[in-house]
Amino acid sequence: MMSKPVEVNDKNFGKEVLKADKPVLVDFWASWCSPCKMVAPVVDDIAQEYEDQLKVCKLNVDENQATAAKYGVMSIPTLLVFENGKEKDKVVGYAPKNKLVQKLGLS
């Protein structure tokens, strides 16, 4: 089975992201955002390739404004990395896969 990003929302964010047993990459996106569409396949690739090391989630900012606001997401795509329930890293805007992998400390 291919690993795909988990859709998260305001209600399950705590359980799926903050209580996860490994680092989590969360892609904050919206359907109208072109750079989000560019970064989506990169995020999907990372979800598949690094499923043992990392959990990957996607959060639609239009439908889940409370969580987006809580983490200060002003422009999208914003990719946040959480570890042990805390925000550890942030990438705003499109980034190529190699840059993301490097930023995430994956190898």
Side-chain angles (χ1 to χ4, degrees):
M1 175 172 144
M2 298 298 261
S3 195
K4 283 176 35 188
V6 180
E7 293 286 338
V8 293
N9 55 44
D10 287 345
K11 288 190 179 63
N12 71 2
F13 192 85
K15 180 170 91 66
E16 292 290 343
V17 177
L18 304 179
K19 295 195 169 92
D21 57 0
K22 51 186 166 187
V24 185
L25 172 66
V26 184
D27 176 12
F28 289 81
W29 69 285
S31 56
W32 47 264
C33 158
S34 314
C36 296
K37 291 187 178 87
M38 286 167 55
V39 87
V42 175
V43 170
D44 291 346
D45 272 2
I46 289 173
Q48 285 175 14
E49 206 171 316
Y50 298 98
E51 64 182 323
D52 301 340
Q53 297 166 267
L54 185 73
K55 178 174 183 176
V56 178
C57 299
K58 291 177 79 79
L59 180 123
N60 183 318
V61 296
D62 287 339
E63 295 164 11
N64 302 284
Q65 293 174 347
T67 303
K70 180 178 178 184
Y71 292 101
V73 174
M74 304 304 267
S75 58
I76 50 173
T78 290
L79 301 172
L80 295 183
V81 181
F82 289 86
E83 211 169 297
N84 303 320
K86 295 193 172 34
E87 185 184 331
K88 190 185 143 200
D89 222 329
K90 175 186 244 178
V91 178
V92 179
Y94 173 79
K97 184 177 170 186
N98 59 346
K99 185 179 168 197
L100 281 176
V101 166
Q102 197 177 10
K103 188 110 169 130
L104 291 163
L106 302 167
S107 51

